[in-house]
């Protein structure tokens, strides 16, 4: 299984792995060793789709001499392209959208794949493969308004952190965004089921969870608001850090900010996608807030949570965006001073309202690129200044993985900053106090302050 795109896709990959594991399938490390190859895809920008199409064509090479190999494309791009994908990549056997994963084992079986070597079937996978049976192609693209994958278990890689999906789909209609069309309407998971899952994760040694949803803070379930779910998750014994992504600014309420400020386990970091710093563009994006509203949310969060780190998403060159309107976005960046910004050039997505705007509105490619580069320069400059001002601090770091260099480990602070320092790989999962000594601009290098490390270790 190869996954492209956002954290929700990573989590969907874990869901599919869980569904298939229950049927006897095993994950292998290399596509060359697999009987089924699934490419789990993203549709948010054209560039992401082009990369996937290239990769799928490459994977087709594995079919030479292995006619039984099943090649599937799942996720948002599969849902968006549907039959077109089979036309453009006729060697793909399965096209499956994000609401159909429950039927994955059955679909693979229909295509001739079989989990494991269950042996007794006279017409086993190997026999079929040896015969080179062509099993046709299959598209499974129904959107199910109630599918929240209740009762299914994720298969996660071992580690101290875990993604926990609490919501699928989206009820917003941002005019640039394909998500509502490929993931359907918002579907929340039962609060009790989420809490049991987090308790189970804590029991297995996970100490940091990130709650996931397209507009995660619009979550609600039978009277349970997102803020109250967040409080309950933060109080699960063994859970030391809670994060959530991506919230919508309109649903950043006083109740949520209070929960963030009061629950010690909720990390001092908020991702707050602004998308633009200009009111006319925000209105045409159908973001449902103004620049003033957005600044009000920033102020509320900073007042309640001193030192909170803020990150954002920005789109430049939305159709019709003038140079002056783009400059308003730069102004917003300078006014807020985000710790991190994910920056994108508008990508036209057929089926979305913005794609139907008059062609004269589309910003020429060179101009869009110039705006993106200018924005990146401003965003990186601010990030470097903020991080430079944090050198000298001592921060609690959760060690997440070995570093690139032998004898180095990498982890994150509560404020979501990446820190590398000397340490043994066996310490993944531990907490350490680390003095921040240098920054590259985006990440830090530091040294563990040994006396404090013992004090904070779980
Ligand atoms: N829930 C988030 C929100 O509040 O909008 C959206 C998550 S989306 C998967 C990640 C980011 O991709 C968006 O915030 C947006 O900045 C960017 N994005 C979405 N559609 C885009 C498009 N058509 N062109 C460029 N960037 C896009």
């Amino acid at each position: 299984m190869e996954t492209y795109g956002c954290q929700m896709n990573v989590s969907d990959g874990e869901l599919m792995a869980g569904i298939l594991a229950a049927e006897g399938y095993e994950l292998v490390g290399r596509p060359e060793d697999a009987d089924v190859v699934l490419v789990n895809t993203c549709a948010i920008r054209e560039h992401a789709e082009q990369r996937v199409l290239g990769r799928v064509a490459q994977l087709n090479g594995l079919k030479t001499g292995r006619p039984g190999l099943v090649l599937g494309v799942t996720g948002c791009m599969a849902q968006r392209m549907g039959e077109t994908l089979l036309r453009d990549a006729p060697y793909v056997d399965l096209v499956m959208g994000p609401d159909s994963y429950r039927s994955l084992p059955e679909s693979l079986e229909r295509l001739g794949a079989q989990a494991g070597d269950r042996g007794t079937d006279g017409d086993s996978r190997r026999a079929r493969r040896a015969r080179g049976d062509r099993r046709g192609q299959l598209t499974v693209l129904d959107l199910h308004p109630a599918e929240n994958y209740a009762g299914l278990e994720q298969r996660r890689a071992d580690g101290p952190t875990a993604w926990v999906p609490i919501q699928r789909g989206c009820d917003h209609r941002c005019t640039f965004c394909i998500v509502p069309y490929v993931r359907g309407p918002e579907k929340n998971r039962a609060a009790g089921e989420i809490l049991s899952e987090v308790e189970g994760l804590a029991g297995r040694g996970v100490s940091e969870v990130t709650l996931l949803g397209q507009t995660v803070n619009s979550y609600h379930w039978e009277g349970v608001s997102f803020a109250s779910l967040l409080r309950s998750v933060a109080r699960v014994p063994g859970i030391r850090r809670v994060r959530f992504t991506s919230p919508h600014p309109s649903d950043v309420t006083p109740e949520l900010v209070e929960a963030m400020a009061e629950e010690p386990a909720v990390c001092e970091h908020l991702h707050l996608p602004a998308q633009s710093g200009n009111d006319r563009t925000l209105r045409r994006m159908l973001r449902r807030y103004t620049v003033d509203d957005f600044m009000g949310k920033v102020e509320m969060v900073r007042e309640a949570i001193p030192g909170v780190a803020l990150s954002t998403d920005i789109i430049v060159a939305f159709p019709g965006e003038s140079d002056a309107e783009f400059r308003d976005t730069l102004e917003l960046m300078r006014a807020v001073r985000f710790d991190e910004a994910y920056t994108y050039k508008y990508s036209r997505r057929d089926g979305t309202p913005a794609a139907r705007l008059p062609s004269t509105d589309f910003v020429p490619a060179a101009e869009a690129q110039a705006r993106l580069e200018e924005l990146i320069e401003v965003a990186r400059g601010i990030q470097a200044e903020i991080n430079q001002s944090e050198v000298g601090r001592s921060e609690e770091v959760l060690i997440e993985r070995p570093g690139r260099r032998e004898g180095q480990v990498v982890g994150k602070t509560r404020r979501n900053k990446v820190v590398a320092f000397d340490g043994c790989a066996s310490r993944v999962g531990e907490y350490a106090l680390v003095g921040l000594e240098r920054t590259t601009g985006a990440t830090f290098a530091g040294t563990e302050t040994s006396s404090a490390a013992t004090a904070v270790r779980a």
Side-chain angles (χ1 to χ4, degrees):
M1 178 135 38
E2 291 187 9
T3 292
Y4 294 80
C6 65
Q7 296 92 337
M8 189 56 95
N9 262 14
V10 175
S11 173
D12 276 2
E14 294 173 342
L15 175 72
M16 284 187 268
I19 291 171
L20 290 175
E23 295 297 318
Y25 286 83
E26 270 174 58
L27 276 176
V28 291
R30 301 180 329 142
E32 290 78 2
D33 300 330
D35 298 312
V36 177
V37 177
L38 298 177
V39 183
N40 184 23
T41 62
C42 169
I44 209 87
R45 281 172 297 278
E46 195 187 347
H47 177 67
E49 293 193 345
Q50 292 307 331
R51 268 181 69 206
V52 166
L53 284 174
R55 179 61 182 149
V56 171
Q58 221 176 23
L59 288 167
N60 179 38
L62 297 176
K63 285 191 163 186
T64 315
R66 298 180 65 200
L69 179 74
V70 175
L71 180 54
V73 178
T74 63
C76 295
M77 173 182 158
Q79 185 73 38
R80 194 188 79 78
M81 291 185 73
E83 297 283 342
T84 319
L85 183 55
L86 292 183
R87 195 197 58 210
D88 291 358
Y91 35 81
V92 167
D93 304 293
L94 172 68
V95 178
M96 179 173 274
D99 272 359
S100 303
Y101 299 145
R102 241 178 235 281
S103 67
L104 188 52
E106 182 198 318
S107 300
L108 290 178
E109 193 126 347
R110 280 179 61 189
L111 287 166
Q114 267 192 321
D117 216 4
R118 294 205 214 133
T120 49
D121 179 358
D123 195 21
S124 73
R125 179 192 47 182
R126 288 222 171 98
R128 284 181 226 190
R129 250 201 284 161
R131 288 204 310 266
D133 269 7
R134 280 306 307 165
R135 304 124 307 177
Q137 293 168 307
L138 196 58
T139 47
V140 194
L141 299 170
D142 297 331
L143 286 175
H144 301 284
E147 180 58 281
N148 63 1
Y149 293 113
L152 295 178
E153 247 200 56
Q154 244 92 358
R155 164 73 49 118
R156 298 178 169 91
D158 285 340
T161 63
W163 305 110
V164 178
I166 68 168
Q167 174 194 72
R168 304 181 65 81
C170 185
D171 280 348
H172 285 254
R173 287 291 178 276
C174 303
T175 54
F176 52 79
C177 189
I178 193 77
V179 168
Y181 308 96
V182 290
R183 285 186 171 268
E186 180 181 308
K187 297 154 267 201
N188 293 299
R189 282 178 72 196
E193 188 177 309
I194 297 167
L195 279 175
S196 308
E197 186 173 337
V198 174
E199 282 160 7
L201 288 167
R204 296 212 312 264
V206 168
S207 67
E208 177 182 307
V209 291
T210 304
L211 307 181
L212 283 184
Q214 295 299 333
T215 54
V216 69
N217 53 337
S218 63
Y219 173 92
H220 56 93
W221 181 266
E222 292 175 356
V224 179
S225 66
F226 178 67
S228 66
L229 177 75
L230 187 66
R231 283 189 189 271
S232 307
V233 169
R235 291 175 192 182
V236 169
I239 294 300
R240 195 158 152 167
R241 288 182 172 189
V242 183
R243 304 182 189 277
F244 55 91
T245 200
S246 266
H248 191 285
S250 301
D251 290 315
V252 173
T253 58
E255 186 201 5
L256 169 58
V257 176
E258 223 168 81
M260 290 180 71
E262 288 175 5
E263 294 300 327
V266 178
C267 289
E268 297 80 14
H269 168 233
L270 183 65
H271 184 67
L272 207 50
Q275 311 299 0
S276 165
N278 172 267
D279 281 343
R280 191 183 80 100
T281 307
L282 287 172
R283 204 166 50 244
R284 295 170 61 253
M285 287 176 163
L286 203 58
R287 286 296 287 175
R288 303 167 202 257
Y289 52 83
T290 62
V291 174
D292 274 357
D293 297 335
F294 187 85
M295 292 305 287
K297 304 282 174 170
V298 167
E299 209 172 300
M300 171 166 66
V301 172
R302 284 191 165 151
E303 220 162 83
I305 311 163
V308 65
L310 295 178
S311 52
T312 196
D313 293 339
I314 300 281
I315 299 175
V316 299
F318 180 75
E321 182 191 69
S322 68
D323 187 64
E325 288 166 344
F326 164 65
R327 303 229 155 256
D328 286 345
T329 296
L330 294 180
E331 202 39 56
L332 177 85
M333 300 298 287
R334 294 191 182 103
V336 177
R337 294 180 63 77
F338 293 101
D339 292 75
E340 187 161 24
Y342 299 88
T343 52
Y344 309 102
K345 245 184 317 185
Y346 170 75
S347 173
R348 182 182 175 150
R349 306 282 63 207
D350 284 343
T352 61
R356 295 191 287 274
L357 286 167
S359 59
T360 45
D361 275 1
F362 286 81
V363 179
E367 177 63 28
Q369 182 62 27
R371 286 183 196 175
L372 181 67
E373 285 171 18
E374 194 172 350
L375 176 70
I376 289 174
E377 198 180 318
V378 169
R380 287 205 183 140
I382 293 168
Q383 181 182 43
E385 279 170 21
I386 294 175
N387 287 349
Q388 192 58 49
S389 75
E390 292 178 2
V391 167
R393 279 198 199 181
S394 196
E395 293 270 353
E396 180 200 84
V397 173
L398 167 57
I399 305 175
E400 291 185 12
R401 57 187 165 85
R404 245 183 266 149
R405 181 168 55 71
E406 177 82 26
Q408 186 193 49
V409 287
V410 177
K412 286 207 196 88
T413 69
R414 289 177 58 89
R415 298 170 67 251
N416 210 36
K417 310 260 173 156
V418 175
V419 184
F421 61 100
D422 285 346
C424 171
S426 64
R427 296 189 55 205
V428 168
E430 289 183 21
Y431 287 81
L433 264 190
V434 179
L436 308 182
E437 290 176 336
R438 288 185 311 283
T439 175
T440 57
T443 62
F444 289 92
T447 300
E448 185 171 3
T449 45
S450 49
S451 54
T454 334
V456 294
R457 218 166 283 156

